[in-house]
Amino acid sequence: MPRRKGRTEVAVLGALSVSPMTGYALRNAIRDVLGHFWSESFGQIYPTLNTLEDQGHVSRASSEAGRTGATHFEVTPTGLSRLKELLGEPIEPPRPRNGLLLRLFFGRHLGRSACMSLLEAARDEAQARLTGFEAIRAEMATEVAAGLTSEVDQTYWTLTISAGEHAARATIAWADESLQTLQKLDGEARP
Amino acid sequence: MPRRKGRTEVAVLGALSVSPMTGYALRNAIRDVLGHFWSESFGQIYPTLNTLEDQGHVSRASSEAGRTGATHFEVTPTGLSRLKELLGEPIEPPRPRNGLLLRLFFGRHLGRSACMSLLEAARDEAQARLTGFEAIRAEMATEVAAGLTSEVDQTYWTLTISAGEHAARATIAWADESLQTLQKLDGEARP
DNA sequence: GTGTGCATGTAATGAGTTACATGATTAC
DNA sequence: GTAATCATGTAACTCATTACATGCACAC
């Protein structure tokens, strides 16, 4: 019985504050909308919803729209204050665990060409992410035009996309630079 | 009884491959040298060392140098192949969990000024990291000059520092840009 | 009628951290 | 002598993922 420490609650309450939905839709929304900076595993969402319901922070509003039998969850007023409270809490620093950098650090053991493959993969991945962000920007623009999203929300959401773009471009530049560095490394040793 | 999945083993074998040392020194080395992209909790290191010893990948070479009673661990030949094997395994993608971006995404609930404080803190932190990397570069240069570190190792290690620098600069640029965006946000609403 | 996707959960497992517990050694 | 640091471990706990289990509804 895992005790949730608030992080999952923020994602759930926040997502529901944008729009009420079922647990299933919630999982998809978190994956699709918050996916580039947040993830929740499937088995977290329903238990968290139940906990939140017990605390009166969300309530079930069964089947207004959508299929019969599906329960749409919505945030209650106390749930909204809880969200604001959680958002105000200090950010706990993530413990870094970058598998790519760990491999490169011990690159002497891994070998030059394997390291270069890793760098190329990282660069391509970052490039793909960059392309994905363009699509998200376009999609958001249409939603704002249609009145589905407020401009204030758009501003905040764009900040997170921009963060992803900056990070991706930095990765690309670093990878290209590093590939050049390793290219030169051959100079002295092995045939 | 946690089953280790290889990630801790890479860090431990890798660090010991650079230089044999005690478990205690190992913990410090991982914190100080790999710290900007990797972390191991204290309670992981000793159990992992014992597992690795059982498998013959590391051995105890007691008290050649240093204090009496302290056991220096060193990598065995099979440990070295094990390290190479582990380094060659696919990188498991980290599940993103960025507390800062989660807060900014729901910035409408958190409030403009709180968001700006978070951004300023992130920028300052990135700036501090950038300064730290300079120090690491300088220190490494003296180690190479003293013959303690090979130039090949230096090349690989520098790649990881460079990654940190690129990421930090990207964070600074993004935070400054975002602060300007939020500055303008005031335009219409609240007094 | 049947497969695909919607919808809701539980159980087992694992990874990793924190806190606890203990003692030896060196610096002052 | 005593405080700080070196040194080695264990136990409990938390957080989170994966796999399992189940059933309905809608499109074809």
Side-chain angles (χ1 to χ4, degrees), chain B residues 162-176:
Chain B
S162 172
E165 288 169 341
H166 272 91
R169 281 194 293 262
T171 298
I172 293 169
W174 164 74
D176 282 336

Side-chain angles (χ1 to χ4, degrees), chain A residues 117-187:
Chain A
S117 300
L118 289 179
L119 283 166
E120 279 161 11
R123 186 194 53 194
D124 294 349
E125 214 174 282
Q127 186 61 60
R129 254 182 297 146
L130 212 48
T131 309
F133 288 131
E134 273 177 48
I136 296 178
R137 275 187 188 273
E139 195 185 343
M140 201 156 62
T142 68
E143 276 186 22
V144 172
L148 295 172
T149 303
S150 78
E151 281 187 35
V152 175
D153 269 341
Q154 188 199 22
T155 302
Y156 285 112
W157 298 357
T158 304
L159 295 189
T160 70
I161 295 170
S162 171
E165 290 168 340
H166 272 90
R169 280 193 294 262
T171 299
I172 293 168
W174 164 74
D176 282 336
E177 215 178 284
S178 300
L179 282 166
Q180 278 183 30
T181 304
L182 291 187
Q183 198 73 51
K184 287 184 222 148
L185 191 64
D186 219 2

Side-chain angles (χ1 to χ4, degrees), chain B residues 2-5 7 39-44 67-68:
Chain B
R3 281 269 159 294
R4 250 149 307 294
K5 222 190 46 214
R7 291 143 55 83
S39 75
E40 287 298 340
S41 79
F42 198 47
Q44 293 277 94
R67 15 175 105 205
T68 49

Side-chain angles (χ1 to χ4, degrees), chain B residues 4 12 67 77 89 99 104 120 152-153 173 180 190:
Chain B
R4 250 149 307 294
V12 167
R67 15 175 105 205
E89 284 189 359
L104 290 179
E120 280 160 12
V152 175
D153 269 340
Q180 278 184 29
R190 84 212 82 176

Side-chain angles (χ1 to χ4, degrees), chain B:
Chain B
M1 269 136 260
R3 281 269 159 294
R4 250 149 307 294
K5 222 190 46 214
R7 291 143 55 83
T8 299
E9 284 183 35
V10 176
V12 167
L13 287 173
L16 290 180
S17 82
V18 174
S19 151
M21 56 188 124
T22 68
Y24 188 83
L26 189 56
R27 168 250 221 161
N28 290 339
I30 290 176
R31 169 164 44 70
D32 298 338
V33 181
L34 310 182
H36 66 99
F37 62 86
W38 198 261
S39 75
E40 287 298 340
S41 79
F42 198 47
Q44 293 277 94
I45 291 177
Y46 283 107
T48 300
L49 278 172
N50 287 331
T51 306
L52 287 172
E53 194 192 10
D54 291 347
Q55 296 166 343
H57 295 328
V58 304
S59 64
R60 292 166 189 261
S62 15
S63 67
E64 297 151 7
R67 15 175 105 205
T68 49
T71 20
H72 285 242
F73 292 88
E74 60 186 13
V75 182
T76 65
T78 77
L80 199 60
S81 4
R82 175 66 178 151
L83 173 60
K84 291 178 185 188
E85 183 190 333
L86 287 171
L87 287 173
E89 284 189 359
I91 298 172
E92 57 184 288
R95 289 169 242 313
R97 278 204 137 191
N98 187 320
L100 173 60
L101 293 186
L102 187 65
R103 279 162 182 76
L104 290 179
F105 190 92
F106 299 118
R108 191 161 53 84
H109 297 300
L110 182 55
R112 192 177 69 107
S113 70
C115 286
M116 292 180 73
S117 300
L118 290 178
L119 283 166
E120 280 160 12
R123 186 195 51 194
D124 294 348
E125 214 174 285
Q127 186 62 60
R129 252 180 300 145
L130 212 47
T131 309
F133 288 131
E134 274 177 48
I136 297 178
R137 275 186 188 272
E139 196 185 342
M140 201 157 63
T142 67
E143 276 186 23
V144 172
L148 295 172
T149 304
S150 78
E151 280 188 36
V152 175
D153 269 340
Q154 188 198 24
T155 302
Y156 286 112
W157 299 357
T158 304
L159 294 189
T160 70
I161 295 170
S162 172
E165 288 169 341
H166 272 91
R169 281 194 293 262
T171 298
I172 293 169
W174 164 74
D176 282 336
E177 215 178 282
S178 299
L179 281 166
Q180 278 184 29
T181 304
L182 291 187
Q183 197 73 51
K184 288 183 221 146
L185 192 63
D186 219 0
E188 66 259 40
R190 84 212 82 176

